[in-house]
Amino acid sequence: ARAQTRAERWKTNIGILIIDVIAVRLTVGAAAYATAVYADANGWGLLHALYWPIWLEGLAAFLILDFAIYLQHVMSHALPAFWRLHQVHHADLDVDSTTGTRFHPIEIIISLIYKSLVIAAIGADPWVVVVYEAVLNAAAVYTHGNIRMPPSIDYKLRWLFCTPDMHRVHHSVIREESNSNFGNFLSVWDRLCGTMRREPVKGQLGVEIGLNEYRDPAGLGLLSLLVMPFKSATKESRSE
């Protein structure tokens, strides 16, 4: 069930996506890919020193990048300065595919810089970076989908991959639930690190989405989201 109409939410979510695209193009742009090209040309990074088969290096780089994004997501909840930016994503009163593109432009830029540093450190092949970026963005749209999946299929998929039912728990107003299921593509990191939560307490149809301090749809327009990190409360005021 929706708390807001699609038209209301999509206008805001697509609006912030357009701003993100413009902000990235005007700043760091293709930083992740450019870093990979430069690292490859200059022999930077751990993988250049290992001389593994190409397929194994590619697999290792992909896994390291996905784990790095998992860690970044954990830190965006744990560190107040990062949470102020990330709460723009969590303030959505509903979850659907557009939520997967709803991020503050400053958070997007910080994320690209972080990924570039990781890429330089490991020496990821440029094509692995291209593939991972495509998977990362596709998974963000898919895992936020407001779709129903048979429990038997969901149960099997989430042993390796994140599913919409798994990620919806992460958008609960209850802090213990939103501080779980941080994975974007692979679910194994949540399983290995102890942050996996099977279901929301109120069930998939009863879970309340969003943040307790932002329940008024009138205060969740595009301009409000852009200024939210600079005037709002931190995560401590969320529901216990």
Side-chain angles (χ1 to χ4, degrees):
R2 297 183 183 89
Q4 285 184 276
T5 64
R6 280 199 183 103
E8 236 181 340
R9 292 180 53 256
W10 286 12
K11 180 174 66 175
T12 298
N13 291 357
I14 293 172
I16 201 166
L17 171 62
I18 292 171
I19 292 173
D20 288 345
V21 171
I22 294 171
V24 167
R25 286 189 177 276
L26 292 178
T27 55
V28 290
Y33 179 75
T35 301
V37 170
Y38 190 84
D40 188 54
N42 291 275
W44 284 9
L46 175 64
L47 294 175
H48 285 103
L50 295 178
Y51 302 103
W52 285 353
I54 293 177
W55 68 268
L56 186 57
E57 286 188 0
L59 177 61
F62 187 96
L63 292 175
I64 292 171
L65 283 171
D66 201 56
F67 183 57
I69 295 301
Y70 165 84
L71 291 178
Q72 180 194 10
H73 196 175
V74 172
M75 288 300 100
S76 70
H77 282 246
L79 301 179
F82 288 170
W83 170 251
R84 283 183 171 271
L85 295 167
H86 190 60
Q87 66 183 344
V88 169
H89 177 66
H90 277 268
D92 205 346
L93 296 176
D94 297 298
V95 171
D96 65 18
S97 294
T98 65
T99 310
T101 66
R102 174 189 169 122
F103 294 94
H104 197 280
I106 296 177
E107 182 177 19
I108 292 291
I109 292 170
I110 291 173
S111 179
L112 281 169
I113 294 171
Y114 169 75
K115 275 188 288 188
S116 298
L117 292 174
V118 173
I119 288 165
I122 65 176
D125 184 274
W127 282 109
V128 173
V129 173
V130 170
V131 170
Y132 182 73
E133 285 291 298
V135 169
L136 179 71
N137 285 282
V141 172
Y142 163 68
T143 57
H144 289 90
N146 186 6
I147 60 176
R148 185 190 304 275
M149 185 181 293
S152 59
I153 296 177
D154 178 85
Y155 179 77
K156 292 173 183 176
L157 280 177
R158 70 166 64 183
W159 274 101
L160 184 58
F161 304 108
C162 297
T163 67
D165 276 6
M166 175 184 166
H167 191 72
R168 196 172 299 113
V169 181
H170 180 73
H171 282 265
S172 167
V173 297
I174 300 173
R175 188 181 354 179
E176 287 76 9
E177 294 183 347
S178 65
N179 283 337
S180 67
N181 298 6
F182 293 99
N184 180 75
F185 177 57
L186 296 175
S187 65
V188 294
W189 313 126
D190 282 299
R191 202 177 303 283
L192 291 173
C193 298
T195 54
M196 172 75 80
R197 185 176 288 267
R198 174 70 182 161
E199 296 288 339
V201 171
K202 297 181 181 179
Q204 292 290 347
L205 298 181
V207 60
E208 189 176 4
I209 300 297
L211 299 175
N212 279 326
E213 59 267 41
Y214 297 108
R215 305 311 302 171
D216 181 7
L220 293 173
L222 181 57
L223 181 59
S224 297
L225 294 186
L226 292 175
V227 301
M228 184 183 288
F230 309 105
K231 68 173 188 177
S232 61
T234 57
K235 74 183 181 108
E236 284 73 18
S237 63
R238 282 189 289 166
S239 170
E240 294 292 339

